[in-house]
């Protein structure tokens, strides 16, 4: 990662509070000093650097915008900037944090009982308890309302059966938030359940062969007659809107995160092309290369303004799912375009892991797919502007 601060063409700095700048800068230096020295090996070996997790807990990045329960209560923009810096390191690290913070702490904070919030949120903030979020199933990805995982009431317990697929943090989590249909088959029967990973009948198996998100853990969850006490349901959860309500926060974080990956690729391309000489001058001096750099600067700047604006709307509780879809869809798309372009601008060197561009490019293929595919967000925006749902 070239040692430059970032890209701020429109003086976005002025729109941030001192607290937001401080949060961003502390994560930025941690990434540079502690994470970057490990990422190449993690990528090569397909492992997640779990040994660094306690340091992330000390940095205070989890549940950044949650108020109370030992959480920092920072702004939504601060939460976004943290995601940006984590993903400047690697999308796998931001994924880890998105699941712990954006998805599962949000699930407990929004739908949990007071006892659940007191029990879990402080421990999750400190990264002493790790969680995963099980929504997707082998046969239900974009259409989670069709899920077949179910929970049956049995005396003082619920008994869960089913399978979840592609679950980030699955095998390292102490608990899973599992979405299942309670005593019914409709999407309105969907409820959230907190399942301890050591419960009999619960298994988390890592998925292998990934050419993307290699420095992240992705697992399959199997639930066979998993019996949990009744107080493990998230009492405020009801229907498909509940897991989607958690996704809003995580998708917003991705809009910032993708900017981190895009900025890393832009800086690498800028640095490289200023130093790489062909035909007797630096390739950055050629018009075709400058056209690419100008595209990157323009798209990153537009995407920063989108993310910042959605963040401020979030803080004012004026965000809508459609606004978030637009930001996630756009920012991931431009980040992927920038990563591909940067890979090209580095020539043969661009395919090696000595540089970050191909790693980011491969990761962003996943980011385009998860938390709602690019095309699902197209349809969400399409419905918002036409009033005509085109999902089925
Ligand atoms: P539909 O009938 O449209 O909606 C069902 C109910 O949900 C409400 N709703 C929302 N509520 C809150 N936030 C949102 N974003 C919401 N979107 C919809 C809706 O109002 C309705 O409520 P009600 O009261 O009327 O029942 O549902 P549908 O079945 O037609 O599906 C709609 C669709 C396609 C938009 C939705 O299912 C969708 O977003 N699909 C994409 C699935 C997805 O994003 N999966 C992500 C899995 S988790 C993950 O990827 C984590 S990656 C982690 C990491 O490593 O970073
Ligand atoms: P599908 O839904 O089968 O989609 C395949 C293609 O069809 C896509 O291009 C899609 O846009 C298109 N398509 C689908 N429906 C339509 C339609 N109606 N109209 C037009 N096109 C359509 N899930 C979790 O629950 N928790 C996690 O922690 C998690 N982590 C993940 C980590 C990784 C590394 C990955 C790759 C995925 C993760 N996911 C997780 C799953 C992710 O959310 C799903 O992969 C995603 O929602 C898409 O589902 P799918 O893969 O089944 O694709």
């Amino acid at each position: 990662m070239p040692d430059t601060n970032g890209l701020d063409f429109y003086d976005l700095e002025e729109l941030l509070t001192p607290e937001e700048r401080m949060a961003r800068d502390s994560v930025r230096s941690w990434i540079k000093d502690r994470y970057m020295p490990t990422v190449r090996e993690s990528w090569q070996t397909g492992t997640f650097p779990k040994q660094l997790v306690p340091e992330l807990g000390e940095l205070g990045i989890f549940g950044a915008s949650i108020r109370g329960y030992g959480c920092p209560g920072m702004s939504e923009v601060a939460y976004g900037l943290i995601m940006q810096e984590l993903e400047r390191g690697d999308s796998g690290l931001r994924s880890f944090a998105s699941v712990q913070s954006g998805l599962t702490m949000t699930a407990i904070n929004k739908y949990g009982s007071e006892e659940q919030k007191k029990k879990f949120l402080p421990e999750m903030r400190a990264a002493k308890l790790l969680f995963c979020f099980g929504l997707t199933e082998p046969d239900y990805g974009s259409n989670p309302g069709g899920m077949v995982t179910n929970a049956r009431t049995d005396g003082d317990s619920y008994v869960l059966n089913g399978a979840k697929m592609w679950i980030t943090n699955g095998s390292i989590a102490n608990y899973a938030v599992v979405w299942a249909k309670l005593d019914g088959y409709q999407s309105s029967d969907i409820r959230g359940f907190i399942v301890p990973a050591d419960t009999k009948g619960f298994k988390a198996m890592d998925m292998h062969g990934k050419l993307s998100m290699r420095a992240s853990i992705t697992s399959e969850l199997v639930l066979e007659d998993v019996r949990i006490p009744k107080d493990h349901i998230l009492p405020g959860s009801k229907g498909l809107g509940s897991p989607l309500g958690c996704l809003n926060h995580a998708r917003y974080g991705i809009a910032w995160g993708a900017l981190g990956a895009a900025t890393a690729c832009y800086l690498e391309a800028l640095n490289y092309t200023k130093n790489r000489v062909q035909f007797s001058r630096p390739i950055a001096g050629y018009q075709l290369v400058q056209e690419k750099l100008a595209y990157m600067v323009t798209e990153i700047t537009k995407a920063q303004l989108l993310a910042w604006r959605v963040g401020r709307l979030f803080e004012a509780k004026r965000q809508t799912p459609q606004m978030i879809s637009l930001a996630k869809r756009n920012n991931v798309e431009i980040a992927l375009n920038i990563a591909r372009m940067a890979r090209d601008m580095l020539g043969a060197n661009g395919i090696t892991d000595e540089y970050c561009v191909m790693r980011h490019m491969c990761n962003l293929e996943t980011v385009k797919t998860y938390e709602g595919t690019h095309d699902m967000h197209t349809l969400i925006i399409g419905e918002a502007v036409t009033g005509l749902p085109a999902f089925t």
Side-chain angles (χ1 to χ4, degrees), residues 138 163-167 203-207 218-222:
K164 298 288 174 180
M165 190 91 165
W166 300 109
I167 305 305
K203 269 188 284 185
M205 292 155 300
D206 283 346
M207 300 176 69
T218 315
S219 317
E220 181 183 355
L221 309 182
V222 176

Side-chain angles (χ1 to χ4, degrees), residues 94-95 99 136 142 144 168 240-241 244 248 251 321 370-372 376:
R94 196 269 308 136
S95 264
V99 170
T136 305
S142 296
T168 302
L240 182 58
L244 294 175
N248 292 333
R251 288 169 176 172
Y370 69 25
E371 304 248 11
M376 293 317 287

